[in-house]
Amino acid sequence: MRTSTARHRSSEPTASAEAAAPSTTPGTPPAHPPVAALSAQVPEAPATEPAPEPAPDGLFNLSLAKGLQVLCAFNAAHRSMTLAEIAQAAGMTKASAQRSVHTLQALGYIGKHPSTRRFVLLPRVVELGFNYLDAHPMISAAHTYLAQLARQSGETATLSEPAGTHMVYLAQVLTTQHIPVLTPVGTQVPLYASSCGRAYLSQLPAAQAQALLQQAPMPARTRATLTTVDAVMAQLAQCQQTGYATNCEELFLGDMGIAAPVFNARGVVVGAIHLAPPTSRWNMADAQQALAPLVIECARAVSQLLPAD
């Protein structure tokens, strides 16, 4: 199974950034601690570092949290940064950033580019995510069926699971055909505007699904994006009737999605499987007729192999 290729998707600009405000719900992984404002903009660091904010509880390790903030500050738009840029992107003082960067350098997670001398992430960072994927029961269960789905459909097949108000791509088998927009394993897409997110939400109690939709902004990613809770809830009701969810150019222009929910042995929804047929090869009506049965069959097969927890 091919689980990852470095891919990037482009979408129309939005007036506001998506905010993830995770909450623990049945079938949803626990929310990450509030390392949250990873991209917050802060004023120039003062000469002396202010007293640290009080920890949420006595066991909370603020230094570890700051180190994770530094790692998360790097992304496609910030592949390399100076110390001052890291401090601003991570939302901390330069002194705090310096201590975190020094520690991460010593551990082999951050280094300096040989030419620019700017800080960059090192390959060891991949170990952090790989350990999670390597031990994930849903990935091992889906391996064969994802490959079969991609082969039968001729399109990219993806397995995802919920993380707060987003879905995270866990595994993927790529098509050999041209794809207009690209996403790697680890990509997060919002619940409200993705077929996989809607497939997951459709299997939750209505009040719980509505609460998740209300936790984060719903900006228009494209002109086709549904941006109200009521509109998305109507889509969820339709998914309950058909067994699959759809998305037509609501996240990325030229891209559609058809997804079905995945359940564990207790019948709790834990994720989704989706295909990404491009509009250059499919219209939605044909995709629903030809591809939806394949997606539903794949999701059911994977569900039968999952444990209760």
Side-chain angles (χ1 to χ4, degrees):
M1 176 181 69
R2 295 165 56 190
T3 58
S4 170
T5 58
R7 313 195 299 164
H8 299 287
R9 290 192 165 188
S10 62
S11 66
E12 293 188 356
T14 62
S16 60
E18 293 180 77
S23 70
T24 303
T25 57
T28 305
H32 298 295
V35 184
L38 299 179
S39 61
Q41 299 300 306
V42 297
E44 191 68 30
T48 58
E49 184 180 1
E53 296 179 4
D57 57 64
L59 294 178
F60 188 84
N61 190 315
L62 193 58
S63 295
L64 176 59
K66 289 183 176 181
L68 293 174
Q69 283 180 252
V70 167
L71 290 179
C72 292
F74 290 87
N75 54 36
H78 301 91
R79 297 181 185 276
S80 66
M81 290 187 282
T82 65
L83 186 60
E85 290 169 342
I86 291 174
Q88 183 162 348
M92 62 180 65
T93 66
K94 190 172 181 180
S96 288
Q98 185 175 33
R99 288 193 293 271
S100 295
V101 168
H102 175 77
T103 302
L104 292 167
Q105 261 191 292
L107 295 174
Y109 293 104
I110 285 180
K112 282 191 173 182
H113 190 280
S115 301
T116 66
R117 308 303 295 168
R118 291 164 65 87
F119 291 103
V120 295
L121 295 181
L122 295 180
R124 190 176 183 189
V125 171
V126 178
E127 294 177 12
L128 300 176
F130 176 77
N131 291 338
Y132 178 74
L133 299 177
D134 191 40
H136 204 300
M138 192 156 55
I139 295 175
S140 57
H143 172 82
T144 300
Y145 295 107
L146 275 182
Q148 181 179 333
L149 177 60
R151 184 171 61 253
Q152 290 176 331
S153 67
E155 302 299 344
T156 297
T158 304
L159 170 71
S160 58
E161 72 174 353
T165 58
H166 287 68
M167 296 292 283
V168 179
Y169 290 6
L170 296 179
Q172 197 170 71
V173 178
L174 301 177
T175 178
T176 57
Q177 302 186 76
H178 170 71
I179 41 182
V181 284
L182 305 167
T183 53
V185 166
T187 293
Q188 294 191 40
V189 292
L191 292 173
Y192 75 94
S194 60
S195 62
C196 55
R198 291 173 182 173
Y200 168 74
L201 287 172
S202 72
Q203 301 305 309
L204 298 178
Q208 187 177 333
Q210 185 168 340
L212 278 171
L213 290 172
Q214 291 171 337
Q215 284 182 18
M218 300 173 64
R221 299 287 295 261
T222 74
R223 289 183 294 273
T225 309
L226 299 180
T227 57
T228 67
V229 172
D230 288 344
V232 176
M233 291 296 292
Q235 288 288 308
L236 302 188
Q238 185 175 348
C239 178
Q240 289 173 348
Q241 296 294 322
T242 62
Y244 66 92
T246 62
N247 154 36
C248 186
E249 295 191 288
E250 294 188 55
L251 274 177
F252 310 102
L253 295 177
D255 177 70
M256 298 187 294
I258 296 180
V262 174
F263 303 88
N264 66 15
R266 291 187 292 112
V268 176
V269 62
V270 292
I273 285 175
H274 80 269
L275 287 174
T279 57
S280 59
R281 284 194 291 274
W282 298 86
N283 60 56
M284 180 52 75
D286 289 343
Q288 287 177 285
Q289 182 176 358
L291 302 180
L294 300 179
V295 176
I296 292 172
E297 181 182 1
C298 180
R300 286 176 178 169
V302 173
S303 297
Q304 291 174 357
L305 296 179
L306 295 184
D309 296 315

